[in-house]
Amino acid sequence: MTVSGPGTPEPRPADPGASSVEQLRKDGNELFKCGDYEGALTAYTQALGLGATPQDQAILHRNRAACHLKLEDYDKAETEASKAIEKDGGDVKALYRRSQALEKLGRLDQAVLDLQRCVSLEPKNKVFQEALRNIAGQIQEKVSYMSSTDAKVEQMFQILLDPQEKGTEKKQKASQNLVVLAREDAGAEKIFRSNGVQLLQRLLDTGEPDLMLAALRTLVGICSEHQSRTVATLSVLGTRRVVSILGVENQAVSLAACHLLQVMFDALKEGVKKGFRGKEGAIIVDPARELKVLISNLLELLTEVGVSGQGRDSALTLLIKVVPRKSPKDPNNSLTLWVIDQGLKKILEVGGSVQYPPGELTVTANSRMSASILLSKLFDDLKCDAERENFHRLCENYIKSWFEGQGLAGKLRALQTVSCLLQGPCDAGNRALELSGVMESVIALCASEQEEEQLVAVEALIHAAGKARRASFITANGVSLLKDLYRRGEKDSIRIRALVGLCKLGSAGGTDFSMKQFAEGSTLKLAKQCRKWLCNDQIDAGTRRWAVEGLAYLTFDADVKEEFVEDEAALKALFQLSKSEERSVLFAVASALVNCTNSYDYEEPDPKMVELAKYAKQHVPEQHPKDKPSFVRARVKKLLAAGVVSAMTCMVKTESPVLTSSCRELLSRVFLALVEEFEDRGTVVAQGGGKALLPLALEGTDVGQTKAAQALAKLTITSNPEMTFPGERIYEVVRPLVSLLHLNCSGLQNFEALMALTNLAGISERLRQKILKERAVPMIEGYMFEEHEMIRRAATECMCNLAMSTEVQDLFEATGSDRLKLLVLYSGEDDELLRRAAAGGLAMLTSMRPSLCSRIPQVTTHWLEILQALLLSPNQELQHRGAVVVLNMVEASSEIASTLMESEMLEILSVLAKGKESPVMRAAAACLGKAVEYGLIRPSQDGK
């Protein structure tokens, strides 16, 4: 016996009693030759469902294995080949295909056993002999590699620690090899057992950046998802030593240390996810203790003199990620309470430090914002009034300790801390504003002649102005003071901040056109000045950020929006700033874009309620004429032309605590506005919008995730999903789309999700399996009963595509299920599109599961009328689907065929069979031919 290639399904002489099986196998073979492996799989699956003999089943299973090998689904290929071997233990082709699958899965020891069996069955087969030689070579290489790994590790460390090799290419290659080896769990274990951690410690002690980077990246591999190695590493290196590397001046080394600490936190919190599970219990006594030691050292680092600003920011970022609960459903917030008691003062000290002039603590432009976010996260994680009151008390005591008895420097530190709180947990900030003398000091220091003092006071006033409705003192005294600073200030740094304060107070009415805080034209003048500063690249990014802050408030005004989107230079400057190192600008950029695209929540007021409010002399919000849909669409076009998508894509990629859940929600809102119009979606996809939407749909606020998921749905509906989401990314789209099927989503969101899932379900079996795994089927079935006809139709279309999966076919075949009945009834509905979807599903199911054909007459007494109506439809697509259903029923049983031929169906089929050459004519003729074969009818005299 010779073996046709590893992926070539073979024909078999036809069994007269199984012509359908034989035909389907032939169809599958033809599809396979044409490269349609999914189609071939479907044909072989249908054949298996027709009661094939054990020998046929073995052939079909091994043919399915060949398809899965081509589709690179090696797990399923192994399963199918094993099923073939169960039917026929001497099936040499099935053994060979299983060996191929096992080889791809890395299970070489099992693959070689199958190949040895193949060679014993066919000793002269050169294909088997060559395959066996190849796999034996691979096994030998693996054994040799593993046996020599210890020597290689030792050699790599010798090169790295040799002072004579300083800066050589040999040393660089050794460090790269070490990092690569550590990425594999087996390699990481080898390094660990070869005294690797102690040797890596020596690399860290050299102080050379390249060697430190190599050591840190290797330690990442050793600690990744492994508790025991993480604890052992911390024990050898010392927790303090690892944390201290965060504070070095070299930014790359600091970031690498941050990554290592994040991996260590994950390993300690999540536990072992792979390998060496049995060793864990003996080594780890209390992971919670190790966590607290790490966090305690991070808190100490925050206020340590000599630590770099980058290192301090990294420590804050780690605390933001690690300390607060991931979900409010988790009742245990003890870690947050512990951090507040142990480290709140340290966090406030960072938040109260200034970048210029440098003080004792070195900070960056992002440090205070990071501290604000951490404080906000901690405050939000508190569960009761007593915990919140303790937080307020600690904050107020800290501010008082600086404000009272510490002179002017103390007052500045206190006001800077108040600003930090106002940007974070604003409840704590508002209470701090009410402390005796705080606001009076702000007003007094605004008039100082020292720029540093003015900056601190003006910023505090700006942040307080955002709470103007809660602080009448600011409204009464702040406007005139800010105007005076703006008009008479000599320094741009002061004037721009004063301008932002005016912008905040001037936008208090939001989008309400009737509530203007300033005289006509004043907001346009303020916006013009903001744009001027924004475009001035001679001003540092930290100061230009304030211009964006001002625009974020002023763009509530539609006149400002219109002028802003017309200013190409300002838009370009805005997008460039959003891509810069000035991370604290992200929220302001996102806010301005939300305003320009009107993607905030807005509900049209009920006209009756408006009349009632007017009668009662109550204020009625008014929409600006330039906020009408036509103006919004025009603004979106201009933003797209200016490159807003690429800017937002860069913002989403930002690994910074500044990209908060609220900021993500704003970006999601803008993306949804950008894809609203069909013709704009290609531009969004071309500039990377599809890729950027995925993380937004998977992380952030519930509203933000829903908005991003809806934008994904719109893109999936109107573009080729395989091009929009290439590679593995297409499978990540499924979960966000399924989330839109929940009842708390709107009808439009439900509909768009169903349409998008329909497109995905029609692409491949793997995508259908992903949809099933996300438990979407019960929800899709629920929407098949929806009153809204478009949602009902979309759900039926989606189910039609999902019916290509055996699991869904099983649901329709299950005893007591009414799913088949629903499809039959929908095939007789007035809605033509719904009928088409239902009839398509019915045609597919009866083709794949012939047993369903006998159940159609049982589900409704009107089944015959429904099928006849399909065949008599003027719509050829409906006719064809109906004809396929009837053909499947005729082929399934002579009894059903008899019932059909005794009705008007015979006359209808006869007419259709005499029509023009078409799929409908061929199906009708096949029905009549089968009836002749059963002896139910006789051919006419002309033999037709």
Side-chain angles (χ1 to χ4, degrees), residues 777-794:
V777 171
M779 290 184 278
I780 295 168
E781 285 183 320
Y783 286 114
M784 289 176 72
F785 294 93
E786 177 66 39
E787 288 184 15
H788 197 291
E789 62 179 21
M790 292 178 69
I791 295 177
R792 187 168 66 242
R793 183 197 309 150

Side-chain angles (χ1 to χ4, degrees), residues 734-795:
V734 174
R735 181 172 294 174
L737 294 180
V738 172
S739 71
L740 293 178
L741 297 179
H742 293 293
L743 294 175
N744 58 343
C745 293
S746 68
L748 177 62
Q749 290 166 343
N750 299 153
F751 172 72
E752 290 179 332
L754 289 166
M755 293 286 286
L757 289 169
T758 301
N759 278 1
L760 294 179
I763 292 174
S764 71
E765 178 60 24
R766 188 178 168 194
L767 272 169
R768 289 190 286 275
Q769 290 298 323
K770 178 67 175 173
I771 294 170
L772 293 172
K773 189 177 178 182
E774 293 296 333
R775 300 177 184 175
V777 171
M779 290 184 278
I780 295 168
E781 285 183 320
Y783 286 114
M784 289 176 72
F785 294 93
E786 177 66 39
E787 288 184 15
H788 197 291
E789 62 179 21
M790 292 178 69
I791 295 177
R792 187 168 66 242
R793 183 197 309 150

Side-chain angles (χ1 to χ4, degrees), residues 652-729:
V652 173
K653 290 178 183 176
T654 301
E655 292 185 7
S656 166
V658 176
L659 190 65
T660 59
S661 295
S662 299
C663 189
R664 286 174 174 273
E665 180 184 321
L666 294 179
L667 292 172
S668 297
R669 287 176 179 275
V670 178
F671 267 121
L672 183 56
L674 295 178
V675 299
E676 192 62 40
E677 296 296 318
F678 172 80
E679 61 269 21
D680 295 333
R681 294 173 192 173
T683 304
V684 173
V685 171
Q687 295 182 13
K691 181 180 179 182
L693 276 166
L694 282 170
L696 294 176
L698 296 170
E699 186 180 348
T701 65
D702 290 341
V703 172
Q705 290 183 59
T706 301
K707 300 281 186 188
Q710 190 176 2
L712 284 172
K714 289 179 184 290
L715 294 179
T716 309
I717 290 168
T718 54
S719 59
N720 182 349
E722 292 175 291
M723 294 181 67
T724 306
F725 311 104
E728 293 295 306
R729 205 169 290 143

Side-chain angles (χ1 to χ4, degrees), residues 468-774:
R469 292 186 179 183
R470 301 185 61 178
S472 56
F473 179 90
I474 301 168
T475 308
N477 300 277
V479 175
S480 57
L481 179 60
L482 289 169
K483 282 182 178 179
D484 190 56
L485 286 170
Y486 173 58
R487 288 169 182 163
R488 300 182 185 180
E490 297 179 1
K491 299 279 188 179
D492 276 347
S493 57
I494 300 297
R495 293 184 66 221
I496 197 169
R497 285 165 171 79
L499 177 60
V500 173
L502 290 171
C503 293
K504 280 193 173 187
L505 293 171
S507 64
T511 58
D512 185 354
F513 181 49
S514 62
M515 286 186 67
K516 294 296 176 187
Q517 301 295 309
F518 295 151
E520 188 70 32
S522 294
T523 51
L524 287 173
K525 289 178 182 177
L526 292 174
K528 186 176 181 180
Q529 184 60 52
C530 282
R531 298 202 309 274
K532 181 180 175 182
W533 272 318
L534 175 61
C535 296
N536 186 352
D537 54 11
Q538 299 301 311
I539 302 175
D540 65 278
T543 303
R544 288 165 66 206
R545 170 180 73 86
W546 288 98
V548 183
E549 291 270 358
L551 287 169
Y553 285 96
L554 291 174
T555 46
F556 280 121
D557 187 311
D559 289 316
V560 174
K561 300 177 197 181
E562 288 294 314
E563 285 196 0
F564 185 35
V565 297
E566 291 290 346
D567 191 337
E568 293 182 13
L571 288 176
K572 184 179 178 182
L574 179 77
F575 298 154
Q576 285 179 341
L577 194 59
S578 71
K579 299 174 186 177
S580 71
E581 293 297 317
E582 185 60 46
R583 302 287 84 190
S584 54
V585 78
L586 295 184
F587 192 86
V589 173
S591 299
L593 292 174
V594 165
N595 291 341
C596 288
T597 56
N598 282 34
S599 46
Y600 41 72
D601 290 327
Y602 175 77
E603 290 186 15
E604 287 287 345
D606 185 341
K608 292 182 179 179
M609 295 302 294
V610 170
E611 290 301 319
L612 187 61
K614 287 180 179 178
Y615 178 77
K617 296 183 179 179
Q618 296 293 316
H619 173 70
V620 179
E622 295 178 21
Q623 188 181 34
H624 196 292
K626 292 182 180 178
D627 273 332
K628 290 181 178 178
S630 59
F631 284 91
V632 176
R633 284 195 293 271
R635 290 201 292 266
V636 166
K637 302 276 187 195
K638 288 167 185 171
L639 287 170
L640 285 168
V644 66
V645 177
S646 60
M648 289 173 63
T649 302
C650 290
M651 291 167 70
V652 173
K653 290 178 183 176
T654 301
E655 292 185 7
S656 166
V658 176
L659 190 65
T660 59
S661 295
S662 299
C663 189
R664 286 174 174 273
E665 180 184 321
L666 294 179
L667 292 172
S668 297
R669 287 176 179 275
V670 178
F671 267 121
L672 183 56
L674 295 178
V675 299
E676 192 62 40
E677 296 296 318
F678 172 80
E679 61 269 21
D680 295 333
R681 294 173 192 173
T683 304
V684 173
V685 171
Q687 295 182 13
K691 181 180 179 182
L693 276 166
L694 282 170
L696 294 176
L698 296 170
E699 186 180 348
T701 65
D702 290 341
V703 172
Q705 290 183 59
T706 301
K707 300 281 186 188
Q710 190 176 2
L712 284 172
K714 289 179 184 290
L715 294 179
T716 309
I717 290 168
T718 54
S719 59
N720 182 349
E722 292 175 291
M723 294 181 67
T724 306
F725 311 104
E728 293 295 306
R729 205 169 290 143
I730 194 171
Y731 302 101
E732 297 175 33
V733 180
V734 174
R735 181 172 294 174
L737 294 180
V738 172
S739 71
L740 293 178
L741 297 179
H742 293 293
L743 294 175
N744 58 343
C745 293
S746 68
L748 177 62
Q749 290 166 343
N750 299 153
F751 172 72
E752 290 179 332
L754 289 166
M755 293 286 286
L757 289 169
T758 301
N759 278 1
L760 294 179
I763 292 174
S764 71
E765 178 60 24
R766 188 178 168 194
L767 272 169
R768 289 190 286 275
Q769 290 298 323
K770 178 67 175 173
I771 294 170
L772 293 172
K773 189 177 178 182
E774 293 296 333

Side-chain angles (χ1 to χ4, degrees), residues 802-862:
L802 287 173
M804 288 187 275
S805 291
T806 54
E807 291 87 345
V808 176
Q809 295 162 23
D810 291 339
L811 293 174
F812 278 89
E813 205 171 26
T815 306
S817 169
D818 283 335
R819 296 179 178 90
L820 184 65
K821 179 179 180 179
L822 186 63
L823 280 188
V824 175
L825 292 174
Y826 278 176
S827 297
E829 284 285 309
D830 293 333
D831 180 351
E832 189 172 288
L833 293 173
L834 178 60
R835 289 176 73 197
R836 188 178 68 180
L842 209 53
M844 187 175 299
L845 286 166
T846 52
S847 296
M848 294 180 169
R849 296 293 173 98
S851 59
L852 292 174
C853 294
S854 60
R855 289 171 54 180
I856 290 177
Q858 301 168 15
V859 296
T860 173
T861 56
H862 302 290

Side-chain angles (χ1 to χ4, degrees), residues 141-251:
E141 283 180 19
K142 189 173 181 181
V143 170
S144 301
Y145 174 77
M146 294 308 291
S147 62
S148 65
T149 300
D150 290 339
K152 285 183 178 179
V153 169
E154 186 178 348
Q155 186 182 14
M156 282 187 272
F157 277 115
Q158 282 178 352
I159 294 170
L160 291 169
L161 292 168
D162 185 354
Q164 303 300 320
E165 295 284 355
K166 189 172 183 179
T168 64
E169 185 179 339
K170 196 174 179 183
K171 203 165 195 174
Q172 187 178 11
K173 189 173 181 181
S175 65
Q176 289 173 347
N177 290 340
L178 196 63
V179 174
V180 170
L181 182 64
R183 287 176 185 159
E184 296 292 330
D185 197 59
E189 184 69 8
K190 282 285 182 186
I191 296 171
F192 181 74
R193 292 181 178 279
S194 302
N195 204 32
V197 178
Q198 287 85 346
L199 293 169
L200 290 169
Q201 184 179 25
R202 290 175 61 188
L203 290 180
L204 291 172
D205 290 341
T206 64
E208 295 181 32
D210 289 343
L211 294 182
M212 292 180 76
L213 279 172
L216 291 167
R217 289 166 181 167
T218 305
L219 286 168
V220 166
I222 290 173
C223 298
S224 183
E225 298 180 352
H226 206 295
Q227 272 191 339
S228 63
R229 291 202 297 252
T230 298
V231 173
T233 299
L234 286 169
S235 176
V236 172
L237 298 179
T239 305
R240 184 64 189 157
R241 172 77 176 99
V242 177
V243 172
S244 68
I245 301 172
L246 272 180
V248 300
E249 289 294 336
N250 187 290
Q251 188 172 355

